[in-house]
Amino acid sequence: MRVYFKGLTASMAQGVAQLADMLGLQIEHGGMVIEVIQEDGPLRVSCSGGQGVIHYQNKIHFYRALGLFIEHATVGDSFEIAEQPRFDFNGTMLDVSRNGVMRVNTIKQFIRYMAVMGLNGLMMYTEDTYEIEELPYFGYMRGRYTMEELRELDDYADMFGIEMIACIQTLGHLHHALKWDYAGQMKDHHDILLPGEPKTYEFIEQMITTAAKTFRSKRIHIGMDEAFQVGLGRYLRENGFRDRFEIMNEHVGKVLAITTKYGLHPMIWSDMYFNLLANDYQGQLYNINADFSDDNMDKIPKGVQFVYWDYGKGDEAGYEKIYDMHLKFGSLPIFAGGIHMWNSIAPNYGKTWTTSHPALRAAKNKGLKEVFSTAWGDNGNETNHYVILAGLQLFAEHGYGDEVDDERLGQRLKVCTGLDLFDPLVSLKYMDEIPGVDEGNHWMANPSKFLLWQDLMTGLFDGHIDEESEKVLPKYYADLEQKWCTYKESMPAPFDSLFETYEKLAGVLALKSTLGIRIKRSYDERQRDELMNIVTMELPELYRQVDALRVAHRRMWMITYKAFGWEVLDIRYGGLMARIQSTGARIMDYVEGQVEGLEELEVQRLIFDQNGIPNAPLNLNASYQVIVTASALN
């Protein structure tokens, strides 16, 4: 589309130039004139008589309006649209602390997508993956960002009206930062700082000083979630038992004194207060029976915003009840939802949809002003962050409208990325939402992960595959292999590499998902010819395909992330390939009579007794460390 803008600021002209290729724009005299007007009120786009007008209040609204203009100009020459933003802050938090440290150019690509979506907030969740000049071991060999890299990203985001907010940890989740000798005196637990220790607050000030010098925003997320053992480690040994609510308040107060010193406005995750004030703890992070009496609320330090994170509820009323409880803190909460991509190799869009829609509707019902999505990379960051774009679009559309459906999300995502991505990305959920897994995958089953990594000889998860699953899984994954191949061939970079990875993964699972069961059955029935065929024909092909998957996965990783962290997945693939070879050697020892039996195959296969869902055995979520062995990895 040939266009010419009237009324653009120099910064916005630079932003439009960055988006031109993605949006299919040619900016030149003689193109359709689009007048750009800044004014208070809703964003509005209109076109008539061959000329367009965009009205916007904040810079981010212009970029969303531009996408809307392009969308409607491609189907008609006369239109008028208005949208009232529902939130003051709406964005995402990208996890760059679980090995996958996103490249600067990757983050810039996400910023461009976010701009056209109309998302105006970005946090990079950094536990130790940022540079602190005085601490050379902080983030050592972890791909940490330099201050220059983060400033470059902050400048780039600001060009589009996107606020980058430092997102760090000042209590828990600091295992990698605290594993070095410099941290010896300030550890309560292996991943929790020691409250009350002066060196702890010297360390926290170094982290906060770095953030204050890096980003233009005066807001900062200082973490403090899930530190459930605080006060029970070294603190307990040195000080005796003390009410941990008091410990938490004292620690928060000391950290707030530091943020105040640097003119920063902090936010923290709110789960610790719900946990510490729960009189009838039932394993819930947000217990509605927590003691939020006025007396307890008065003890909590003032001057901090609270972030309510919840990735599991499926009903608006449940969210609204917790939103109301947060009001006891003295301000509206910030809501953080989840685009489910963690502890798996594929995104779980079933659960993302069933939790995000009611959460965001409830946020609007209750008048919340700030929301963001999280995209965690737990357990090795096996799922690539590019898969979350459909989820980002959902948060964006809820931020500018009331009801949101998949058809509209697909239309918008195509405009905001220039690609027809919605159905391909959302359908990746079927890598895990397989026959035998509940529709919507509420329990976050990850069979594509446990069927990939589990050992062929010990088969810790083979007890979950019944006769029906054994019949259908190989063809099911073979069909997905062809589906991902079709998407791969229709996509430009980097999405061709993304779908190639899933093509290779589905191909491996078509071979491996039930192979361990067949090996044990052949052994139990003493079918040496069948075992010989598996060793000579199937295991070499499986080895070849696993290596092809490893190469494809590595290619997509290197496009998206810094090289640091890939070694973890190389080790996982290498272990799988070594065990395929060992499986062949062990079976041949038996077939050739060198051993009388195979101890691993003599053991009855049991249900993996950890998830408490015995009537739906495939509704199982497991991490790599327990998938690969029942023995110790350390």
Side-chain angles (χ1 to χ4, degrees):
M1 178 185 293
R2 295 172 62 245
V3 297
Y4 180 75
F5 294 96
K6 289 175 57 179
L8 281 187
T9 65
S11 174
M12 290 165 64
Q14 291 176 336
V16 170
Q18 290 288 309
L19 299 173
D21 287 345
M22 186 175 83
L23 298 178
L25 293 178
Q26 297 176 6
I27 305 166
E28 57 191 19
H29 287 284
M32 177 189 292
V33 175
I34 302 176
E35 186 176 6
V36 179
I37 301 171
Q38 183 176 21
E39 61 183 15
D40 291 344
L43 64 89
R44 293 183 288 137
V45 297
S46 61
C47 184
S48 63
Q51 293 200 357
V53 182
I54 290 176
H55 298 260
Y56 73 99
Q57 179 169 322
N58 299 326
K59 193 187 296 185
I60 190 65
H61 302 149
F62 163 75
Y63 291 105
R64 178 171 173 91
L66 177 59
L68 290 169
F69 188 96
I70 293 169
E71 176 186 357
H72 290 277
T74 57
V75 295
D77 55 11
S78 180
F79 53 86
E80 185 169 349
I81 302 148
E83 290 185 339
Q84 179 64 55
R86 301 311 200 258
F87 302 114
D88 296 336
F89 180 92
N90 186 2
T92 191
M93 186 222 72
L94 302 174
D95 183 359
V96 294
S97 291
R98 299 317 202 289
N99 296 347
V101 180
M102 298 173 74
R103 295 185 180 277
V104 169
N105 285 339
T106 303
I107 300 169
K108 287 183 176 181
Q109 182 65 67
F110 271 82
I111 288 171
R112 291 191 288 272
Y113 292 143
M114 290 172 61
V116 188
M117 292 177 184
L119 296 171
N120 67 344
L122 176 61
M123 303 181 199
M124 311 301 297
Y125 174 76
T126 49
E127 293 173 354
D128 68 329
T129 49
Y130 59 101
E131 175 186 53
I132 296 179
E133 294 177 354
E134 304 90 340
L135 298 175
Y137 282 92
F138 186 84
Y140 173 62
M141 287 294 180
R142 293 256 292 143
R144 63 191 173 200
Y145 292 109
T146 65
M147 194 175 294
E148 289 72 24
E149 286 176 317
L150 291 175
R151 284 173 175 163
E152 179 183 348
L153 288 169
D154 189 47
D155 289 341
Y156 195 77
D158 182 68
M159 177 171 59
F160 295 103
I162 295 173
E163 179 185 15
M164 282 197 74
I165 297 175
C167 186
I168 64 174
Q169 285 286 3
T170 57
L171 183 57
H173 286 299
L174 286 169
H175 164 71
H176 292 291
L178 299 180
K179 66 188 177 186
W180 304 107
D181 187 61
Y182 75 83
Q185 291 182 271
M186 55 188 187
K187 284 190 288 189
D188 188 2
H189 278 262
H190 70 96
D191 68 339
I192 299 175
L193 287 167
L194 180 60
E197 165 59 44
K199 287 187 179 297
T200 293
Y201 301 100
E202 293 174 13
F203 175 59
I204 290 173
E205 183 160 2
Q206 288 172 319
M207 292 192 285
I208 289 174
T209 301
T210 298
K213 292 190 297 187
T214 302
F215 298 99
R216 50 173 47 80
S217 174
K218 291 301 182 182
R219 306 176 76 193
I220 182 172
H221 196 321
I222 55 176
M224 299 201 193
D225 61 310
E226 295 184 313
F228 301 130
Q229 297 301 309
V230 67
L232 299 177
R234 183 174 179 175
Y235 188 96
L236 179 64
R237 294 192 299 273
E238 294 184 352
N239 301 283
F241 181 78
R242 184 182 174 201
D243 186 328
R244 295 188 305 127
F245 178 55
E246 294 179 6
I247 297 173
M248 183 74 181
N249 287 333
E250 186 176 280
H251 180 73
V252 171
K254 288 179 180 292
V255 178
L256 294 189
I258 298 172
T259 58
T260 299
K261 177 179 176 180
Y262 292 96
L264 300 174
H265 307 292
M267 64 184 80
I268 65 172
W269 307 107
S270 61
D271 58 288
M272 281 298 292
Y273 279 114
F274 279 78
N275 181 269
L276 294 172
L277 294 173
N279 294 322
D280 60 341
Y281 182 67
Q282 301 171 353
Q284 301 169 329
L285 283 167
Y286 285 95
N287 191 324
I288 62 172
N289 296 317
D291 181 6
F292 273 32
S293 63
D294 291 344
D295 183 55
N296 279 336
M297 294 299 99
D298 288 343
K299 294 175 183 178
I300 297 173
K302 303 301 185 284
V304 60
Q305 286 185 288
F306 290 89
V307 182
Y308 163 39
W309 62 272
D310 196 330
Y311 319 135
K313 286 187 180 62
D315 64 298
E316 291 181 41
Y319 287 106
E320 290 181 356
K321 187 171 292 186
I322 303 298
Y323 292 156
D324 286 342
M325 289 189 71
H326 277 79
L327 297 179
K328 290 273 193 175
F329 290 129
S331 62
L332 285 175
I334 304 168
F335 174 71
I339 304 175
H340 286 263
M341 58 164 281
W342 53 90
N343 197 32
S344 63
I345 308 184
N348 181 350
Y349 269 112
K351 184 152 189 174
T352 299
W353 260 218
T354 58
T355 58
S356 298
H357 282 300
L360 293 171
R361 286 195 297 263
K364 288 180 282 190
N365 292 342
K366 287 296 182 178
L368 269 62
K369 298 300 182 184
E370 298 183 303
V371 299
F372 63 91
S373 61
T374 61
W376 300 102
D378 297 42
N379 203 231
N381 209 130
E382 292 171 342
T383 306
N384 190 281
H385 274 86
Y386 273 104
V387 303
I388 72 169
L389 291 175
L392 291 185
Q393 197 72 61
L394 180 144
F395 270 73
E397 298 315 304
H398 270 290
Y400 293 89
D402 293 323
E403 293 302 317
V404 177
D405 59 35
D406 282 4
E407 181 179 3
R408 182 61 182 149
L409 288 174
Q411 293 169 348
R412 290 292 302 143
L413 187 61
K414 187 172 184 179
V415 173
C416 295
T417 63
L419 300 170
D420 194 2
L421 282 173
F422 183 80
D423 287 339
L425 289 179
V426 173
S427 65
L428 287 171
K429 69 179 183 177
Y430 293 115
M431 289 297 294
D432 287 326
E433 199 174 312
I434 63 176
V437 169
D438 293 345
E439 183 179 357
N441 198 1
H442 173 77
W443 299 107
M444 297 177 66
N446 58 355
S448 63
K449 179 166 182 151
F450 63 72
L451 294 175
L452 172 66
W453 297 127
Q454 78 158 339
D455 191 78
L456 288 169
M457 292 295 285
T458 59
L460 291 175
F461 296 80
D462 281 345
H464 291 261
I465 301 175
D466 58 20
E467 291 184 8
E468 183 62 25
S469 294
E470 186 182 352
K471 291 177 183 176
V472 303
L473 283 180
K475 184 178 186 304
Y476 176 86
Y477 279 118
D479 289 344
L480 285 182
E481 179 184 14
Q482 293 304 310
K483 183 173 185 174
W484 308 144
C485 179
T486 300
Y487 285 142
K488 174 195 71 176
E489 292 173 349
S490 67
M491 296 281 182
F495 298 100
D496 55 347
S497 294
L498 178 69
F499 282 97
E500 181 183 20
T501 303
Y502 285 107
E503 174 196 10
K504 302 299 185 188
L505 174 59
V508 167
L509 294 176
L511 289 175
K512 185 176 182 290
S513 57
T514 60
L515 182 55
I517 294 172
R518 290 172 43 227
I519 289 173
K520 176 156 173 53
R521 181 186 300 119
S522 297
Y523 174 79
D524 289 343
E525 297 174 356
R526 302 303 186 251
Q527 295 180 6
R528 283 178 166 80
D529 289 345
E530 179 61 24
L531 289 172
M532 176 70 80
N533 183 68
I534 288 173
V535 171
T536 58
M537 302 297 292
E538 296 189 47
L539 292 183
E541 177 62 14
L542 177 60
Y543 184 97
R544 184 192 69 78
Q545 291 204 29
V546 168
D547 195 35
L549 167 60
R550 179 185 65 86
V551 171
H553 197 167
R554 183 183 65 195
R555 182 183 302 114
M556 189 62 202
W557 179 283
M558 296 304 171
I559 290 170
T560 312
Y561 307 107
K562 297 184 180 184
F564 303 94
W566 172 255
E567 71 275 11
V568 172
L569 295 185
D570 244 353
I571 290 166
R572 292 182 184 182
Y573 282 116
L576 175 57
M577 294 165 70
R579 287 299 295 162
I580 291 170
Q581 290 183 323
S582 291
T583 296
R586 288 284 288 151
I587 292 174
M588 285 305 297
D589 285 346
Y590 170 73
V591 169
E592 294 175 348
Q594 297 182 42
V595 296
E596 292 184 2
L598 300 173
E599 299 101 318
E600 311 97 310
L601 299 182
E602 294 287 346
V603 180
Q604 179 185 355
R605 273 32 179 172
L606 302 177
I607 290 290
F608 192 84
D609 186 24
Q610 280 197 356
N611 76 325
I613 315 173
N615 294 325
L618 285 174
N619 282 327
L620 180 77
N621 179 283
S623 299
Y624 173 82
Q625 289 81 356
V626 299
I627 291 171
V628 291
T629 180
S631 298
L633 281 175
N634 53 22

